[in-house]
Structures are given as C-alpha cells and as structure tokens.
Amino acid sequence: MSRYKKYAGGDPLAPPVDIAEALDAIGEDVMSGYSPERAMREFLRRGGQNQRGLDDLARQVAERRRELLQRHNLDGTLEQVRELLDRAVLEERKQLARDVTMDDGDRAFREMQIDNLSPNTAAAVSELSSYDWTSREAREAYEEIKDLLGRELLDQRFAGMKQALEGATDEDREAIAEMLRDLNALLEKHNRGEDTDADFDQFMAKHGQYFPENPQNIDELLDTLAQRSAAAQRMLNSMSPEQRRELMELSAQAFGSPALMEQMAQLDANLQAARPGEDWYGSEEFGGGEGLGLGDGTGVLQDIAELDQLSEQLQQSYAGSRLDDIDLDALSRQLGDQAAVDARTLQELEQALRDSGQLERGSDGDLRLTPKAMRQLGKSLLRDVAQRLSGRQGERDLQRAGAAGELSGSSRPWAFGDTEPWDVPRTITNAVIREAGEGRRGPGVRLTVDDIEVQETEARTQAAVALLVDTSFSMAMDGRWVPMKRTALALHTLIKSRFRNDDLQLISFGRYAQTMEIEKLTALDAIWDKGTNLHHALLLANRHFRKHPAAQPVLLIVTDGEPTAHLEPGGDVWFSYPPHPVTIARSVEELENSRRLGAQTTFFRLGEDPGLARFIDSMARRVAGRVVAPELDDLGAAVVGSYLGDRTARRTSNTYGGYPDAFGGRGWWAG
C-alpha cells in the first residue's frame, strides 16, 4: 500500500550540505580546548553564516510557548455558558412581561424563580434543569448550554468533535455514547491483557470515523487518546479552584444527562492505567485575554507539551542525543515548514560530518579530528594567511611560488597572472569531464578558462625548520593560545603540502620543552605551567638542526615572556622569577649554538611588555636575527612570511610589507 504525505524537505535541487565552514569552526574550538564532539555540538547549536542553529530554533520554540500562555486564558467555555444563560434568562423575562394571558400567580412564581437564581453559573444552570420555559428562544439558549458542554467535553478527548457534533441529533449522540462504551470495553480488555488484533480491527471498522489519526493498532490508538486526555487533565489542573469546581458541576448537564460524564471518567481512568508515563499532574499559568474552550484549551496544552518535547530535543543535553531525535513533523506544525527545513539541514550536516572521514572514534570512544580533517583545517588557515600576506604586499591573487624552480608534481587551477606552464593532461581531462556533464556531443574538445590547470614549481633548497611556541599559562591567559595553534597548523600544512623536502619540528616550551606532533599540539589544553624554558626548547631545536646537516636551519620562536627556567645538567628544571642571570646565560649560550649551526632566527614577540622587548631585541642582535611584533590576528602571516624568506641560504635585512623578506629567493606564495 502506498502512503503519501506533504513534502517536508527543502530545495530538492540544492547541492549537498557544505561541511567546510563547520570543519573550520570545529577546528577553532578544538584548538581552544574543546573536544571534537563538543566542538561539533557547539557549531550545530550556533549554526553557520547562512544556516540557523539549534539555539535559534530553541529560542523560537520558547517564544511560541510563551506566546500561547500570554495570549490565552481558560475561561472560554465558562464565558460561553454565562452568555447563553444570561440570554435565556433575559428572553424568559421578556416573555413573562408580555404574556397577558398568563395567570398572575403563575407569573409571580416564575419571576421569583428567575430572581432567586444562584449567582454561581453552574448552580444556576442546575437549578434551571427542571424549569418549564415559556419562551422558545430561552429554551433554545438553555438547550444550547447542554449541547455546548457535551461537545466541549468530547472535544477534550477527541479533537474536532465539537465541530462534528454541531447540530447533532439524538441518534448522533447515541452513536457517540455507544462508541464510548465500546472503547472503554476494549481498553479494559487490553489492560487485562485479553485483547486481540481482531478486537481492535472490529472496533475500528465500527467507529473508525471518530479517529481521523487512523491508528494502525491498539498502541497507536492509546498513544493518541492518552496524550489528549493527559492534556485535558493538565488543563483542569491549570484552572483556579473556583473554575474547576464550576466546570465539574456544569459537566453533569452535558447533553442533559450525567451518563456522558461517567463514560468520560471511565475513559480517563483506563487511559491513565494504560499510559501512566504521560504527564497527568502538570499545570500551566495562562495570563492572556483570549478565552479558550475546553477542546481548544486541551489542544493548546497539547501544543505546549509538544513544544516542551521539541525544546528538549533541540537542547541535545541528554545522554546519547542525536539530531535525528528531532521530530520534524512536530517542528513544522509548531514553527512552520522553514524551521523543519533548517533542522533537517542540521541533521544532514551532522551525518555528513560523521560520514566524511573528518571525525573518528579513538580507542577511548571519544571523537577526534582525523589527519584528513587536520589537512582541511590547515588549508583553510593557509588561505587566510595567504590573503593577509597578499594584502600587505599590495598584490592580489599573485602566485609565483617557485616560478624559477623545478616541477613539484602537483597542479592547480590557473589564475590571472600565472606564468607557470600548463598541465595539459589535467586541462584536457577537465574539459572532457565538463562537456560530458553538459551532455555535449561532437568532434573535438572546447576549452574554457575554468578547465586550465598549471604545473606548480618549487625551488629545491632544503630547510630544517624549528618552530618554538611558548605554552606557558600566560599565553592562554592573555588570549594567545589559539593564534599560536593556528600559526603552527598553517606552517605545518604549508610545509607538508608545498615544501615536502623541508623538515619541520614543532617544539612547545613551558616549564619543560617537548617536541610535538601537530595533532597533539592543536588538541593541547592550557594548563598552569610556571616557567618559560627557552633553554630546553633551543636544545631540542639544535638537535633537530644537527640531524639535517645539509639543510638550511630556520629557527622561529613565538613567545610572550622572558626565560624563567632552564635545564640543569642532571635534567632537573631550575625556575626563578624574576629571571635568574644563570637562566638568561644558558638561553643565550644555546642561542649562540644555533647561530653557529647557521640558523636564520626570527623572534615573534607577543605583548607590549617593555622588558620583554628589550630582552628579545638584545637576543636577536647577538645572532643577527630579526624581531617581529605582530598583532595576534597576523601571527600566522608573520611566521609563514618569515619562513618563506629564511628557508634559503641568503641573509637579508630587507622587509617587505612589514614582514621579513617574504620572497627570499623562494618566490612569493599565496594560496
């Protein structure tokens, strides 16, 4: 059997979700100390540049809930009953006044009954149950009260019943009573565990017209009925004691017989026994001016319960939560189709992130960034560095990376200003694939500019690069932790992708120094580590240089403090603040060893401390090095620019655009 429903997706021709923005944001949070799992969750909460996140949807859910409570009150049915009662009494008074044939004693007795009605609406309706109306209009208004109460009570448990029974006959009301009796019998049998599928099928064949939800089995029927019955009970709980008492008294007048109320009470008991997990005891505070009838009020309470479930689903705060848990149909009902499309996009994005190979489960069960994700993030950071460098050179999209060098074996799309030779096989292949996709047939291949790829070249001067990054607590405390990691990852990506002959060693130094793989450094949490052990870091850097005697040593040091620790001959750390002369001497001595090994040295000074500036300037002069004091946002561009200049054997004091000679014989690189 085919089943159809309204299309709930977004643009069916839209491209697959783009995870590049998400990966960049996740990488940033990971480098800030978040776990990849939490970083992914945070991105999904915030959303992207053109994508609403879970927080926006949750905020809209909360606003919708608040609007329902602030717009409505629960006096709707009682107000309607009061209006009908006032109309019946008024019409009866008119008839008594103008009926000149009526016995004066009878008229006086009737007027006394009307005048002495209880001020309580429910009591007055009850007192008039046996009154012999003389006015046809008054009798119709009073009968409408009983009809209204019956339809409202049924509408509380069966949505749409109020409208369906408008103008109903006695036969219609008897059919409803029979349905209630059969339903209670079925539920009681089910609660005893004695029902069969045939019992359910027989009930639906007889009374299915009262259940537009079209339940397929007894459990679906129970879920539908119990949710609405529980909402009806919460509505009753939300009323004031006076409202509740008045409504209960009025209920006995429904359809002019207490039998309906008895069947409804029995139905509620059966449903509560079958579904005790529903919220039967909650309540809400309504404070608006728009009165709700019993059926409409129950519907609003159901909406509020659905909004509460959506809020929990959107918060994703429970164990094992996934975006697949979000009920898109409910979200569409409450907030509109666009909200459901936004949530579906987030679901697809989460799945794409998990399936893309960018995140993987470690042996400890936690998510982590894969090498593929690290490369993707590094390329993104490198593009940012390239834009910053290009802007400072006053040139745009300029690419002369190793233009005079040897072919690197890789290619890239042609851009205006490129002078590299074409990669003919790749260019022709691109054209063939494009034309095949366009469905073009015919002899020959037509090239477009977008098809062209050029061969990349690079100079073959080998460099041994040591990037020393300060990981003392002041780096994290002053907001330099993430820029430091971004810089390391950008340089690592550049060397691994463009200058594969170079050998990069990442060295972190706090109280101790240690070599680190890029994955470990980017995931490193900030810790309270007293000490800036530049001496130990330089020892490790010089060891790296000695392992590559044929390479040009390039020493890059990122720090925000003077050395306050050094290694003793036995391997212990000596710490002193202010810096001890011995610590300074050991650091200078090892820096001199770097100079003797031929290292090109650049200090990247972070912060405005005058003492630090004087110290680093003096250190740089001793080894003919340079000092760069970049803004945090420009740290990556500064380090990459220095590397591109210093990796050749040439020494130069020239600067270009505020950074050490970024051409350095190597050629300008951007992107």
Side-chain angles (χ1 to χ4, degrees):
M1 179 180 67
S2 300
R3 302 182 70 177
Y4 300 91
K5 65 179 182 178
K6 180 181 177 182
Y7 175 67
D11 182 358
L13 302 180
V17 292
D18 183 8
I19 64 174
E21 181 186 9
L23 286 173
D24 290 347
I26 290 170
E28 287 286 323
D29 285 345
V30 167
M31 287 191 287
S32 298
Y34 287 10
S35 69
E37 180 81 42
R38 182 184 173 192
M40 180 177 69
R41 294 291 183 191
E42 287 298 318
F43 177 80
L44 294 173
R45 297 187 74 83
R46 295 191 305 266
Q49 185 174 0
N50 299 310
Q51 170 64 46
R52 284 201 298 173
L54 295 175
D55 283 348
D56 284 337
L57 293 173
R59 190 177 306 112
Q60 195 174 351
V61 165
E63 290 172 355
R64 167 71 174 157
R65 189 186 196 280
R66 184 166 53 252
E67 186 263 339
L68 288 175
L69 292 175
Q70 292 177 350
R71 186 204 307 173
H72 300 295
N73 65 59
L74 302 181
D75 279 339
T77 297
L78 295 177
E79 285 295 333
Q80 285 183 276
V81 170
R82 291 186 192 108
E83 290 174 4
L84 289 170
L85 178 63
D86 290 344
R87 192 203 318 169
V89 169
L90 178 61
E91 293 297 334
E92 183 67 8
R93 288 184 188 278
K94 290 179 181 178
Q95 181 64 27
L96 292 175
R98 65 174 173 255
D99 190 350
V100 295
T101 64
M102 181 178 293
D103 179 75
D104 289 341
D106 186 23
R107 182 189 317 3
F109 178 72
R110 290 175 180 274
E111 288 176 345
M112 181 182 67
Q113 284 183 285
I114 296 295
D115 291 339
N116 291 326
L117 284 175
S118 170
N120 179 280
T121 302
V125 171
S126 179
E127 290 167 5
L128 291 171
S129 61
S130 58
Y131 181 80
D132 184 16
W133 300 91
T134 61
S135 166
R136 179 177 59 82
E137 293 82 359
R139 181 183 296 106
E140 290 175 353
Y142 183 77
E143 292 298 324
E144 191 174 342
I145 290 175
K146 295 189 289 185
D147 183 67
L148 171 68
L149 289 170
R151 290 187 294 121
E152 286 280 17
L153 286 171
L154 285 170
D155 201 44
Q156 271 196 303
R157 274 71 175 184
F158 307 94
M161 195 68 80
K162 178 181 178 181
Q163 291 75 23
L165 288 179
E166 190 168 5
T169 64
D170 290 339
E171 289 77 11
D172 295 329
R173 287 190 281 271
E174 177 54 36
I176 291 291
E178 183 180 6
M179 182 272 292
L180 286 172
R181 288 192 295 269
D182 291 347
L183 178 58
N184 278 319
L186 175 63
L187 297 185
E188 289 169 1
K189 197 171 183 181
H190 176 76
N191 289 342
R192 294 193 303 269
E194 299 173 358
D195 65 311
T196 64
D197 292 341
D199 293 329
F200 171 78
D201 294 339
Q202 183 179 359
F203 173 82
M204 291 300 296
K206 185 176 180 180
H207 303 295
Q209 70 270 25
Y210 299 114
F211 303 93
E213 302 87 357
N214 192 27
Q216 299 300 301
N217 51 56
I218 185 70
D219 287 321
E220 290 186 11
L221 176 64
L222 277 169
D223 288 340
T224 301
L225 292 174
Q227 288 170 8
R228 191 158 180 92
S229 180
Q233 183 60 50
R234 291 196 300 276
M235 181 179 181
L236 195 63
N237 299 342
S238 303
M239 293 179 175
S240 68
E242 294 76 14
Q243 288 175 317
R244 195 157 48 241
R245 181 171 55 253
E246 195 169 3
L247 181 62
M248 295 305 294
E249 292 174 4
L250 282 171
S251 299
Q253 303 299 320
F255 290 149
S257 168
L260 174 65
M261 198 59 193
E262 293 173 3
Q263 289 289 339
M264 300 293 280
Q266 185 180 354
L267 175 62
D268 288 343
N270 287 329
L271 291 172
Q272 190 163 356
R275 291 292 186 270
E278 293 289 339
D279 183 7
W280 299 93
Y281 305 104
S283 63
E284 300 291 343
E285 291 188 13
F286 289 83
E290 184 178 323
L292 290 171
L294 297 181
D296 291 338
T298 298
V300 168
L301 265 297
Q302 276 191 292
D303 285 341
I304 290 174
E306 192 167 67
L307 289 167
D308 288 341
Q309 290 176 348
L310 285 172
S311 179
E312 183 178 6
Q313 293 165 7
L314 292 169
Q315 287 173 7
Q316 295 280 290
S317 58
Y318 50 92
S321 58
R322 293 286 296 269
L323 293 192
D324 288 342
D325 300 340
I326 298 174
D327 188 336
L328 298 180
D329 291 336
L331 198 62
S332 179
R333 282 194 299 272
Q334 298 299 334
L335 303 184
D337 292 341
Q338 185 56 49
V341 170
D342 290 337
R344 184 187 297 277
T345 302
L346 290 173
Q347 289 178 343
E348 293 172 354
L349 180 60
E350 180 189 40
Q351 192 61 47
L353 285 168
R354 294 182 184 277
D355 294 344
S356 65
Q358 309 285 354
L359 299 169
E360 65 182 4
R361 293 281 176 191
S363 57
D364 55 0
D366 292 334
L367 277 182
R368 64 186 180 192
L369 295 178
T370 63
K372 178 181 178 182
M374 295 297 296
R375 290 193 297 271
Q376 183 85 9
L377 180 58
K379 289 178 182 178
S380 175
L381 295 175
L382 212 47
R383 283 193 297 271
D384 180 63
V385 166
Q387 290 170 0
R388 291 179 180 276
L389 282 171
S390 179
R392 279 162 176 74
Q393 312 301 340
E395 304 178 33
R396 183 175 181 180
D397 292 333
L398 186 60
Q399 301 204 26
R400 295 183 293 184
E406 303 175 19
L407 296 178
S408 67
S410 59
S411 63
R412 57 175 168 78
W414 176 87
F416 179 75
D418 279 341
T419 59
E420 287 83 0
W422 283 21
D423 187 327
V424 176
R426 287 294 306 163
T427 299
I428 298 298
T429 299
N430 292 341
V432 170
I433 293 174
R434 175 182 52 76
E435 291 194 342
E438 294 172 352
R440 180 181 176 275
R441 297 180 179 179
V445 176
R446 298 179 182 178
L447 297 180
T448 68
V449 172
D450 292 336
D451 298 326
I452 302 171
E453 292 198 21
V454 296
Q455 296 176 336
E456 290 187 329
T457 61
E458 61 178 22
R460 291 301 182 184
T461 304
Q462 185 181 10
V465 186
L467 175 62
L468 282 55
V469 290
D470 188 343
T471 54
S472 60
F473 189 72
S474 61
M475 289 283 288
M477 184 173 60
D478 294 331
R480 297 160 186 156
W481 197 256
V482 173
M484 174 272 290
K485 291 182 177 182
R486 288 170 56 93
T487 298
L489 182 54
L491 182 61
H492 176 273
T493 303
L494 176 61
I495 291 175
K496 293 299 182 183
S497 61
R498 296 297 182 94
F499 306 113
R500 300 180 183 89
N501 286 341
D502 289 359
D503 201 302
L504 172 65
Q505 182 79 76
L506 298 174
I507 301 171
S508 67
F509 62 99
R511 189 174 185 84
Y512 289 90
Q514 59 180 321
T515 60
M516 279 192 174
E517 296 297 326
I518 188 62
E519 293 81 7
K520 183 177 179 181
L521 179 61
T522 52
L524 186 66
D525 286 336
I527 57 175
W528 176 259
D529 200 2
K530 295 174 62 176
T532 304
N533 200 334
L534 179 60
H535 170 243
H536 191 186
L538 290 169
L539 284 170
L540 296 178
N542 290 336
R543 181 187 299 171
H544 175 60
F545 296 151
R546 293 187 184 100
K547 288 181 179 179
H548 303 84
Q552 168 63 51
V554 176
L555 179 61
L556 309 171
I557 304 171
V558 178
T559 185
D560 69 346
E562 300 174 65
T564 56
H566 68 269
L567 277 188
E568 290 286 272
D572 294 331
V573 170
W574 173 289
F575 169 78
S576 174
Y577 184 83
H580 194 279
V582 174
T583 299
I584 301 297
R586 293 287 177 83
S587 301
V588 171
E589 178 185 355
E590 204 56 40
L591 188 62
E592 290 281 1
N593 289 336
S594 300
R595 181 185 63 81
R596 282 190 285 272
L597 290 170
Q600 307 265 349
T601 302
T602 304
F603 286 91
F604 300 90
R605 174 173 56 81
L606 304 180
E608 303 297 330
D609 180 32
L612 175 64
R614 288 192 298 271
F615 171 77
I616 289 182
D617 286 343
S618 65
M619 293 274 280
R621 284 195 297 271
R622 294 183 68 94
V623 294
R626 289 186 293 253
V627 178
V628 180
E631 297 294 330
L632 282 180
D633 289 344
D634 287 337
L635 178 60
V639 171
V640 169
S642 178
Y643 158 73
L644 290 171
D646 285 348
R647 68 177 306 282
T648 68
R650 292 174 20 174
R651 291 186 178 275
T652 175
S653 60
N654 185 31
T655 61
Y656 195 80
Y659 294 129
D661 180 14
F663 293 90
R666 170 71 179 185
W668 167 251
W669 168 87

